[in-house]
Amino acid sequence: MALESDRGADAKPRVLLTDHPWPDVDVETAIFAAAGIDLVAGPVEAPRAQEVERLATAHEPDAIMTCWASVSARAIAAPPALKIVARMGVGLDNLDVVAAPGRGAWVTNVPDYCVEEVSDHAVALLLAHCRDVVGLDRLAKRGVWKPEAARPRRVRDLTIGLIGFGRMGRAAAAKLRGFGCKVIAFSRRGANGEGVESVTMAELQARADAIILHLPLTPETAHLVDDAFIQTCARAPLLINVSRGGLVDNDALLRGLDSGKLCGAALDVIKGEPNPPESVLRHEDILVTPHIAFLSPASLIELRRRACEEVVRVLSGGRPVFPCNEPAVRAAR
Amino acid sequence: MALESDRGADAKPRVLLTDHPWPDVDVETAIFAAAGIDLVAGPVEAPRAQEVERLATAHEPDAIMTCWASVSARAIAAPPALKIVARMGVGLDNLDVVAAPGRGAWVTNVPDYCVEEVSDHAVALLLAHCRDVVGLDRLAKRGVWKPEAARPRRVRDLTIGLIGFGRMGRAAAAKLRGFGCKVIAFSRRGANGEGVESVTMAELQARADAIILHLPLTPETAHLVDDAFIQTCARAPLLINVSRGGLVDNDALLRGLDSGKLCGAALDVIKGEPNPPESVLRHEDILVTPHIAFLSPASLIELRRRACEEVVRVLSGGRPVFPCNEPAVRAAR
């Protein structure tokens, strides 16, 4: 593999890893060492955007990899020979997708490493609610055995509404099929397949007993679930969010639960994480997991490996497998 | 309908309902009134066996219906013209199945009213464990957002072992199919269908990452899961019980969790309920729901209606739809 860098003819290409919410960087180090690439690893916890800008300026990386840290237009502009900004994950809301291609760099993600996990998680949250598992276990842990407190529902009798019908939505629909419930979905591109009925957003709000958010956070989808959205829901649905916290207005959610317009919520993501409002975190009618829908031992290794391989591919002059944007101007090599 | 009783030519037939763990008997009263049958309703909470014997002696019912109360051979022997003992549920472990037919009475149950609910519940418990939903929500309710505490697993990578492969087991297998996990099952009659591999008990113990109990409690199955059973499990499985508490030796279960031979348990039924040992109820690694796997608003109405209809059928001289035993001597009419 012929790898180059403008830091000098004999300098190795360099990757800046802005953050890594796993304890070591053994997987990344092994892959990059084998490819003759230097790794500069940031901290476990995501640094602020300004710190990422400082690191990008100081280290002049050929590639920036980020998990949760924000990668701003300024950070993308800083390295003279940046060729790729690689998201270690699916969503692109923490990097400046527009700035990178203008700068001549690829943007990549790993869109399918955790399809099993996220769809498992969405169905797990739905079933936990339908079978009242969490509320009843809370009572048990206080020493209380109280069957008459149970509020279970028969899944087959429900209509489940998916908003977004990409890889995750389709996988959730396939898993729900075995339960015999009606699955309807709204997607801008239409929702066809997996025995799902494609509906308008208004139909979904009118018919759904549970709503699962399976869509990315963009300027258009931010606060999709707000007061107006919730008021339009007819059947006091359960709201499940396994996508991005910013899709939901926390205050509107709390008002929706108080007024009975929503029967409950199950959130793997909350706006404000990793310090979400206590009023959401501790709410009795909100089932909370801390943004781990993507996670399993298998998925995490796969994510790290595949994100690194994408960087190696681009720094070796190849085209990425999952480009999110075509570079407008190819980086000078 | 010609209904008779030996309490006198013009006396109406009489049903003794030993207990009803739902607040009113409106459903039962309506069905029996329409059929010209008198209803004597016991309390909400199940009385002791001796009290049931006293009620059966005092009221001389033509039919005894029970939900949770024990119906002994003595209770069955007391009424001079008993024609049916109807279980309002699936399991028959709380009534003397052998005594009734010898006495000339049918035994009936409602074996399929809650197949959806119990199989939903079994999968809900499995997924709640695999996605660490309950443990993470417990942290959230203490105000803690801690993704690094999560221990989720990819369901597709697991082997799920079903013990028992009747209506419930088959329904659970059908629902699990969408998750892509391997499903194996042990049944004395073989486990064929729903993409399941029929295995011996030893194979199941060697291969299962989670074990779901879907079998009745009988003298042969009591304490099926004991120290020896748990020691033979190779993969530190999760134990899920949605059938009867008596299938599991509580002390052996606690030892299995302590020693790491089991990775966890999820129990809808516990030996000793409605007052199960606090050591089980409050255990951090045991997810508990209070015997509600069968329950939904739809299933409960269906159970009550169908159990009553079976009684009406027999007291009208018909044959029950779900006989559990053929009367050896038909009751004198």
Side-chain angles (χ1 to χ4, degrees):
Chain A
M1 265 183 244
L3 296 171
E4 306 165 67
S5 154
D6 58 359
R7 281 185 311 275
D10 56 351
K12 286 183 183 174
R14 186 178 290 161
V15 176
L16 170 63
L17 174 63
T18 58
D19 60 312
H20 54 94
W22 38 86
D24 62 62
V25 291
D26 295 351
V27 172
E28 295 80 1
T29 302
I31 292 170
F32 289 135
I37 296 171
D38 274 342
L39 174 66
V40 178
V44 167
E45 282 209 16
R48 289 163 172 268
Q50 292 93 318
E51 173 63 7
V52 174
E53 291 162 8
R54 194 192 66 72
L55 290 168
T57 305
H59 294 289
E60 300 192 347
D62 303 275
I64 298 176
M65 300 183 79
T66 178
C67 186
W68 298 125
S70 283
V71 180
S72 65
R74 196 172 295 201
I76 289 169
L82 188 72
K83 295 183 188 67
I84 174 171
V85 181
R87 171 83 221 287
M88 302 181 91
V90 182
L92 297 170
D93 44 293
N94 63 325
L95 53 88
D96 195 318
V97 184
V98 180
R103 177 67 187 71
W106 293 98
V107 173
T108 62
N109 67 348
V110 189
D112 58 351
Y113 77 101
C114 59
V115 172
E116 286 299 327
E117 283 76 5
V118 173
S119 55
D120 282 353
H121 206 81
V123 179
L125 294 176
L126 174 69
L127 289 179
H129 176 86
C130 286
R131 300 309 309 167
D132 209 352
V133 168
V134 173
L136 293 170
D137 183 75
R138 277 183 210 148
L139 286 175
K141 293 300 161 279
R142 305 202 320 249
V144 177
W145 177 273
K146 197 176 175 186
E148 61 272 26
R151 296 289 173 270
R153 304 166 83 174
R154 184 183 275 182
V155 179
R156 181 178 289 275
D157 294 346
L158 303 182
T159 296
I160 315 297
L162 309 179
I163 302 184
F165 201 65
R167 289 180 179 84
M168 307 294 186
R170 282 196 299 274
K175 289 172 184 180
L176 287 170
R177 196 152 32 158
F179 293 85
C181 47
K182 176 80 187 165
V183 182
I184 60 178
F186 168 75
S187 163
R188 280 182 308 179
R189 288 172 293 186
N192 296 305
E194 305 299 347
V196 163
E197 182 186 344
S198 184
V199 296
T200 64
M201 186 70 96
E203 282 179 273
L204 188 140
Q205 290 171 286
R207 293 168 56 192
D209 297 299
I211 294 175
I212 307 179
L213 302 181
H214 273 307
L215 75 170
L217 178 62
T218 66
E220 290 74 40
T221 63
H223 280 203
L224 168 72
V225 178
D226 58 8
D227 285 304
F229 180 100
I230 292 168
Q231 283 304 318
T232 314
C233 292
R235 297 178 58 79
L238 169 73
L239 178 71
I240 298 176
N241 191 358
V242 287
S243 295
R244 282 292 181 272
L247 296 169
V248 177
D249 176 341
N250 285 332
D251 295 327
L253 171 68
L254 294 171
R255 282 190 289 269
L257 292 168
D258 283 348
S259 68
K261 288 297 292 182
L262 297 173
C263 72
L267 308 177
D268 184 58
V269 288
I270 304 176
K271 191 171 184 183
E273 62 181 71
N275 297 299
E278 295 251 327
S279 53
V280 175
L281 200 55
R282 292 178 182 266
H283 197 291
E284 283 261 316
D285 296 331
I286 305 180
L287 205 167
V288 173
T289 57
H291 203 147
I292 55 93
F294 71 92
L295 188 66
S296 76
S299 76
L300 190 57
I301 296 293
E302 189 177 329
L303 168 67
R304 295 165 64 183
R305 179 179 58 74
R306 288 178 52 194
C308 291
E309 287 170 355
E310 198 79 314
V311 167
V312 170
R313 214 170 276 126
V314 167
L315 296 192
S316 308
R319 189 185 160 85
V321 174
F322 288 111
C324 301
N325 238 330
E326 183 84 15
V329 183
R330 291 299 174 88
R333 294 166 198 266
Chain B
M1 267 185 242
L3 297 169
E4 304 166 68
S5 154
D6 58 357
R7 282 185 309 276
D10 55 351
K12 287 184 186 174
R14 185 179 291 163
V15 176
L16 170 63
L17 174 63
T18 59
D19 60 312
H20 53 94
W22 38 87
D24 61 64
V25 291
D26 295 350
V27 171
E28 295 79 1
T29 302
I31 292 170
F32 290 135
I37 296 171
D38 273 343
L39 173 66
V40 178
V44 167
E45 282 208 18
R48 290 162 172 270
Q50 293 92 319
E51 172 63 8
V52 174
E53 292 162 9
R54 194 191 66 73
L55 290 167
T57 307
H59 294 289
E60 301 192 346
D62 303 277
I64 299 177
M65 301 182 78
T66 177
C67 186
W68 299 124
S70 283
V71 180
S72 66
R74 195 171 298 201
I76 289 168
L82 187 71
K83 296 181 188 68
I84 174 171
V85 181
R87 170 84 221 286
M88 303 181 91
V90 182
L92 297 169
D93 45 293
N94 62 325
L95 55 90
D96 197 318
V97 183
V98 179
R103 179 65 188 71
W106 293 97
V107 173
T108 62
N109 67 349
V110 190
D112 59 350
Y113 76 100
C114 60
V115 172
E116 286 299 326
E117 283 75 7
V118 174
S119 55
D120 281 353
H121 206 82
V123 180
L125 294 176
L126 174 69
L127 289 179
H129 176 87
C130 286
R131 300 309 309 167
D132 210 352
V133 168
V134 174
L136 293 170
D137 183 76
R138 278 183 209 150
L139 287 176
K141 292 301 160 280
R142 306 203 319 251
V144 178
W145 177 272
K146 196 176 176 186
E148 62 272 27
R151 295 290 173 270
R153 304 167 83 176
R154 185 184 275 182
V155 178
R156 180 177 289 275
D157 295 345
L158 303 181
T159 296
I160 314 298
L162 309 179
I163 302 183
F165 200 66
R167 288 179 179 85
M168 307 293 186
R170 282 198 299 275
K175 289 172 184 181
L176 287 171
R177 197 150 36 156
F179 293 85
C181 48
K182 177 79 186 165
V183 182
I184 61 179
F186 168 75
S187 164
R188 282 182 308 179
R189 289 171 291 186
N192 296 306
E194 305 299 346
V196 163
E197 182 186 344
S198 185
V199 296
T200 65
M201 186 71 96
E203 283 178 272
L204 188 140
Q205 290 172 286
R207 292 169 57 192
D209 297 299
I211 294 174
I212 307 180
L213 302 180
H214 273 306
L215 74 171
L217 177 63
T218 66
E220 291 74 39
T221 63
H223 280 205
L224 167 74
V225 178
D226 59 8
D227 285 304
F229 179 99
I230 292 169
Q231 284 302 317
T232 313
C233 291
R235 297 179 58 79
L238 169 74
L239 178 71
I240 298 175
N241 191 358
V242 287
S243 295
R244 281 292 180 273
L247 296 169
V248 176
D249 176 343
N250 286 332
D251 295 328
L253 171 68
L254 294 171
R255 283 190 288 270
L257 291 168
D258 283 349
S259 69
K261 288 297 292 182
L262 297 173
C263 73
L267 308 177
D268 184 57
V269 288
I270 304 176
K271 193 172 182 181
E273 63 183 68
N275 297 299
E278 294 250 329
S279 53
V280 175
L281 200 54
R282 291 176 183 266
H283 198 292
E284 283 260 317
D285 296 331
I286 305 179
L287 205 169
V288 173
T289 56
H291 205 147
I292 56 93
F294 70 92
L295 188 66
S296 76
S299 77
L300 190 58
I301 295 294
E302 189 177 330
L303 169 68
R304 296 165 64 183
R305 179 178 57 75
R306 288 178 51 193
C308 291
E309 287 170 355
E310 198 79 313
V311 167
V312 171
R313 214 170 277 125
V314 168
L315 296 192
S316 309
R319 190 185 158 84
V321 174
F322 289 110
C324 301
N325 239 329
E326 183 84 15
V329 183
R330 292 298 173 89
R333 293 165 198 265

